[in-house]
Amino acid sequence: MKKEIEEEVGVALEGVVTEARGASYLVSASDGKNYRCRTIAGTQTENIDASLVSVGDRVRFKESGESGEAHPQGVITHVGKRFSSLERKRDVRRNRSKEKKQVIASNIELLVIVVAAFEPPLSTRLIDRYLVFAESENLPVVIVVNKMDLDDDDEIPALMAPYTLLGYTVILVSVRQKRGLEELDQLLSGKVSAMSGHSGVGKSSIINVLTGQKRMKTARTSYKNGKGVHTTSNAVMLPLISGGYLIDTPGIREFSLSGISREQLRFYFREFLQFMPECSYSSCSHTVEPGCRVRGAVEEGLVDPDRYESYLVLYDGLESEQ
Ligand SMILES: Nc1nc2c(ncn2[C@@H]2O[C@H](COP(=O)(O)OP(=O)(O)OP(=O)(O)O)[C@@H](O)[C@H]2O)c(=O)[nH]1
Ligand SMILES: [Zn+2]
């Protein structure tokens, strides 16, 4: 079968999948062209029990010679090993069978969390939730606070200071005032990043600046109305002016913490780690146990009380392993 493919089609090419639409994939190839590719029964993969192809995948393919489309056509012969993947979280109760992991995007190097200073108001609870997700996926993360022009009382820098102290990169941005965008651009340059954030925080506005393109807002709007789902539920990888790619997908925006247990949560608050070994109980949940060093650290001002409050809120919302 494999031999047959090799004989039928042209030279082997390599590329990155930048768009997935049904069974059709747009591949940005090393020869500088874009190819519209499909898979075949003989397509090989190094990723077991997961979607065959996703945006961000590095693939080998061959030109198939079919014409009549906007792009030259190709056949994907091999999907490279993913070093990271974002999966669509499913309802555990409805997924008892051994279903394949649904991969939204692969090989992401950086997660960009976007929040707004105002409109909608900044919620540290939400930021902590995003950070837990990023830590659980082992993804480097940057927090972008957009709409800084609306921070009239200059409250945001103080609110964000604890995150900088924890080692997270925080970039204060205003698309309106063209502030902070160069710093963000430099950080994303040459990398594959995925952007996430609630509706209205200014993701499209930021993407437009960094890609130099006008990204259509209509697709997202219609998503909310339940229309045009096929265009919005797919990830798209947009080339950045300064090199690298930004992955934009509603699937990542609405990610959930459903795969995380109460027992795992404590490891995703990085400031707890140094205190946890000193808790009286080795399995301490840092909620009610006597002799809890994490709570001690909160009382002594060594751990930010607002971050600890986020831990309690998230803990309440998660299920126990037992
Ligand atoms: N004041 C202010 N408004 C901004 C800024 N950036 C974007 N906006 C406005 O915020 C609104 C939402 O911006 P979008 O870029 O569409 O936000 P989005 O995150 O892509 O929203 P969805 O498409 O719903 O996910 C628009 O009216 C923008 O003009 C900014 O820096 N300052
Ligand atoms: Zn404890």
Side-chain angles (χ1 to χ4, degrees), residues 158-175:
L159 266 181
M160 297 310 293
Y163 296 99
T164 313
L165 277 176
L166 287 172
Y168 292 111
T169 305
V170 177
I171 305 186
L172 305 179
V173 169
S174 166
V175 176

Side-chain angles (χ1 to χ4, degrees), residues 127-310:
I127 291 175
D128 292 337
R129 195 187 161 84
Y130 280 129
L131 290 178
V132 163
F133 178 83
E135 297 278 355
S136 74
E137 298 281 333
N138 222 346
L139 274 174
V141 63
V142 48
I143 307 164
V144 171
V145 184
N146 187 32
K147 306 198 189 184
M148 281 302 289
D149 53 288
L150 301 179
D151 183 27
D152 293 334
D153 300 327
D154 204 22
E155 287 170 357
I156 301 299
L159 266 181
M160 297 310 293
Y163 296 99
T164 313
L165 277 176
L166 287 172
Y168 292 111
T169 305
V170 177
I171 305 186
L172 305 179
V173 169
S174 166
V175 176
R176 194 152 288 179
Q177 293 177 331
K178 298 192 166 54
R179 171 183 169 188
L181 290 162
E182 244 171 65
E183 196 187 337
L184 179 61
D185 190 50
Q186 273 174 17
L187 205 72
L188 305 192
S189 168
K191 295 193 191 82
V192 176
S193 308
M195 187 177 262
S196 178
H198 273 192
S199 182
V201 295
K203 294 179 300 294
S204 309
S205 310
I206 294 170
I207 290 169
N208 289 346
V209 174
L210 299 181
T211 61
Q213 291 170 18
K214 265 253 165 290
R215 181 131 172 79
M216 294 228 284
K217 206 183 149 57
T218 45
R220 286 194 198 124
T221 315
S222 59
Y223 181 65
K224 282 175 213 145
N225 301 338
K227 291 180 227 151
V229 172
H230 63 288
T231 52
T232 53
S233 57
N234 291 330
V236 184
M237 222 164 126
L238 306 161
L240 300 173
I241 298 171
S242 61
Y245 289 97
L246 190 55
I247 294 178
D248 178 32
T249 160
I252 299 176
R253 280 175 196 172
E254 310 297 328
F255 53 66
S256 81
L257 305 185
S258 61
I260 300 171
S261 69
R262 282 185 163 183
E263 288 77 8
Q264 289 167 325
L265 183 67
R266 68 195 74 160
F267 298 104
Y268 305 142
F269 280 77
R270 49 169 72 167
E271 66 270 51
F272 290 9
L273 298 178
Q274 60 168 309
F275 300 110
M276 276 160 49
E278 294 171 43
C279 290
S280 297
Y281 297 91
S282 61
S283 62
C284 187
S285 71
H286 323 302
T287 55
V288 293
E289 295 87 341
C292 172
R293 184 65 194 114
V294 172
R295 280 194 297 142
V298 175
E299 274 153 33
E300 290 165 32
L302 300 171
V303 164
D304 186 84
D306 198 43
R307 285 271 298 166
Y308 179 67
E309 188 62 33
S310 284

Side-chain angles (χ1 to χ4, degrees), residues 65-84:
E66 298 153 67
S67 58
E69 298 280 332
H71 299 290
Q73 311 280 293
V75 166
I76 297 174
T77 53
H78 180 268
V79 184
K81 184 144 187 68
R82 297 171 181 139
F83 66 79
S84 79

